[in-house]
Amino acid sequence: EQTTTAAQPLRIGFDGINDKTYLSFNGDNWLTSVEFSSIGDTFTIFEVSKFGDTDEVCFSYKRELPLERITMGVDANDDYYTQLSYNAIDQVVTISSPSHLIKTQPHIGVFSVVNSGTTIVSSTSYYDKNIQITDDDNLKEGVYGRNNDANFNIGSVNDPHYDENLTGEFNELIIYNRPLTTIEVDDIVGYLNYKYKIY
């Protein structure tokens, strides 16, 4: 929801990705979850959007003390990235694609995290009409994380110290409170691609 009128994104009923309805963000608006996030320490997040520029975030979660953070966005180098932070220990998975523009490209982004209690393994996948890339990383410190003690945001980094708000389109968000299998991820990406004709 967004109760501040000036900060509400516009809902456009056509002309989005594959002519679908979308939320239009201009860098000064965002949405916040009605209740605290229900995301646990393991999860899979799917998002369909189009960044308007570099250094933008489409999904974010942030809580203080201890610092815990989930971020999905495009960085200053125009590479798609996901970030997971526990007690200021950052785990960033970057999808690098030289000479390829992430901004302005309709895409599907997937961020999956498995927390075994001793190690966190995260996997990030990015799909657009030109490229499909998957990368992963693991973290052996600071493995505890609940991600359910604050709200999550769409279109904003949820931190007043950063100006990385979305200036593009946001179409769909799907969150599972568990890591999905490869087959399940492929099924949902296939459904999203069928709906939005990304690639």
Side-chain angles (χ1 to χ4, degrees):
E1 69 175 4
Q2 177 54 265
T3 56
T4 303
T5 302
Q8 292 175 350
L10 294 177
R11 181 185 180 276
I12 311 297
F14 64 98
D15 202 31
I17 301 170
N18 197 30
D19 204 32
K20 295 290 192 287
T21 299
Y22 68 98
L23 295 171
S24 177
F25 291 83
N26 63 13
D28 293 320
N29 44 35
W30 66 92
L31 295 173
T32 300
S33 58
V34 177
E35 305 290 342
F36 276 2
S37 165
S38 60
I39 302 171
D41 59 356
T42 61
F43 58 83
T44 308
I45 302 173
F46 299 81
E47 59 88 7
V48 180
S49 65
K50 182 167 70 172
F51 299 108
D53 205 347
T54 57
D55 243 356
E56 295 188 353
V57 165
C58 61
F59 176 90
S60 73
Y61 168 88
K62 180 174 181 282
R63 70 171 292 232
E64 309 284 349
L65 300 175
L67 176 65
E68 295 183 353
R69 186 176 206 152
I70 301 169
T71 311
M72 301 174 75
V74 61
D75 66 17
N77 297 318
D78 203 11
D79 291 324
Y80 188 81
Y81 76 94
T82 57
Q83 177 187 26
L84 188 67
S85 296
Y86 291 120
N87 289 321
I89 299 172
D90 285 345
Q91 178 183 24
V92 180
V93 178
T94 301
I95 298 295
S96 299
S97 48
S99 74
H100 174 72
L101 296 179
I102 299 297
K103 67 179 183 180
T104 75
Q105 289 292 329
H107 68 268
I108 300 169
V110 186
F111 188 23
S112 182
V113 169
V114 179
N115 187 338
S116 70
T118 56
T119 303
I120 294 173
V121 178
S122 63
S123 176
T124 300
S125 299
Y126 172 89
Y127 308 82
D128 70 22
K129 68 178 182 179
N130 299 310
I131 199 165
Q132 300 177 31
I133 308 177
T134 298
D135 200 0
D136 54 46
D137 196 4
N138 60 70
L139 184 70
K140 293 182 171 59
E141 298 181 76
V143 296
Y144 178 72
R146 289 169 294 177
N147 306 310
N148 59 8
D149 288 343
N151 301 83
F152 66 77
N153 282 4
I154 297 173
S156 167
V157 76
N158 197 17
D159 189 328
H161 301 293
Y162 294 89
D163 182 20
E164 300 174 2
N165 290 3
L166 182 64
T167 63
E169 303 177 14
F170 196 91
N171 287 77
E172 190 155 343
L173 176 71
I174 303 173
I175 300 175
Y176 288 86
N177 289 331
R178 64 179 177 89
L180 301 187
T181 66
T182 300
I183 293 173
E184 290 172 324
V185 169
D186 289 346
D187 283 346
I188 294 167
V189 169
Y191 151 74
L192 292 171
N193 185 52
Y194 178 79
K195 181 176 180 179
Y196 294 104
K197 301 295 187 291
I198 299 294
Y199 58 87

